[in-house]
Amino acid sequence: MKRYYDAVAFVILVVAKGLSFPAFEIGLQYFPVLFLAALRFDLASVLIFSYVLTAGVAWKPRTRGDFLAIGTGGLVAITFATAFWSIGQEMTTSTLSGLMASLGPVLTAGFTWLLLPEDRLSPLGLVGLSIGFLGALVIMLPGGGLAFGQGFLGKVLMFLGVAGSALGGVLIRWSKPTMPASSQTAWALLVGAIFLHGSSVVIENPLRESTFSAAS
């Protein structure tokens, strides 16, 4: 029975993750990119904190590793990664977003090699990692030659976003937190949402005002 529930949960996760790319693209028609990203994490943090408090899970960070995990998760894996990813997706398509997201495991393996020696890949795994990086290069380069336009910039920004997400995940493991993963995730989402809202106020409001001024 447990395997059945695990399989159902996995299918739900895959479907939700896949739908998030076109959903975000639709949302960009109504909200500024960073503000929309911050709203996602507002909702996610509320939902996970609700679960943590309802289930009686330990929610207070206590050790240095807990605070490091929350900080790296909130700033690197969420704020940095989401900001670059969201701005890059605005310049490209949801289809390409899905392809770029598939590079996450490849980059995670690379950062793991640098930061977690105990989890390093075997020589055969390194060959696979190299092939993955070549695939990333193929995705990023335009089909009609190297042209540094908006589309290419969008690919670079999304690649940085994927890299930030992968690095953040590895840094969380490197921090060796003691608090439950659900509580750690809730705090990281809250930190990321706060910084994304701040980035939206600083970056997007002046741009929007200048756009309105130019139009008038």
Side-chain angles (χ1 to χ4, degrees):
M1 184 63 70
K2 183 179 183 299
R3 290 183 178 180
Y4 171 77
Y5 286 122
D6 289 344
V8 172
F10 178 76
V11 171
I12 293 174
L13 174 62
V14 171
V15 172
K17 186 69 174 178
L19 290 175
S20 66
F21 301 118
F24 192 82
E25 189 172 4
I26 294 172
L28 289 174
Q29 301 175 22
Y30 305 98
F31 299 101
V33 57
L34 294 180
F35 180 71
L36 177 61
L39 288 179
R40 293 169 57 199
F41 293 115
D42 287 338
L43 177 60
S45 63
V46 169
L47 291 175
I48 298 181
F49 264 121
S50 298
Y51 161 76
V52 167
L53 297 176
T54 302
V57 178
W59 61 275
K60 292 182 180 180
R62 299 181 182 277
T63 66
R64 177 176 177 270
D66 292 340
F67 286 102
L68 279 174
I70 291 171
T72 54
L75 295 177
V76 180
I78 295 180
T79 304
F80 176 89
T82 303
F84 278 92
W85 176 272
S86 301
I87 296 173
Q89 182 171 344
E90 193 176 26
M91 299 178 180
T92 55
T93 65
S94 58
T95 300
L96 182 61
S97 300
L99 291 173
M100 295 295 284
S102 65
L103 299 176
V106 176
L107 295 172
T108 298
F111 289 125
T112 298
W113 175 267
L114 295 174
L115 298 173
L116 300 172
E118 65 274 15
D119 293 335
R120 283 180 176 176
L121 293 173
S122 64
L124 181 61
L126 286 176
V127 173
L129 182 64
S130 301
I131 295 174
F133 276 118
L134 289 176
L137 184 62
V138 171
I139 292 174
M140 290 183 65
L141 290 177
L146 190 60
F148 296 99
Q150 176 173 306
F152 180 75
L153 177 59
K155 294 176 184 179
V156 172
L157 292 176
M158 282 197 296
F159 180 80
L160 291 175
V162 176
S165 179
L167 176 60
V170 174
L171 286 174
I172 289 172
R173 292 171 55 200
W174 174 82
S175 300
K176 293 181 170 57
T178 60
M179 65 190 308
S182 55
S183 303
Q184 171 195 307
T185 302
W187 279 110
L189 289 169
L190 178 60
V191 171
I194 291 172
F195 275 92
L196 283 171
H197 276 296
S199 301
S200 175
V201 170
V202 172
I203 297 173
E204 293 173 332
N205 285 350
L207 289 177
R208 189 161 61 250
E209 290 173 3
S210 63
T211 301
F212 289 153
S213 299
S216 59

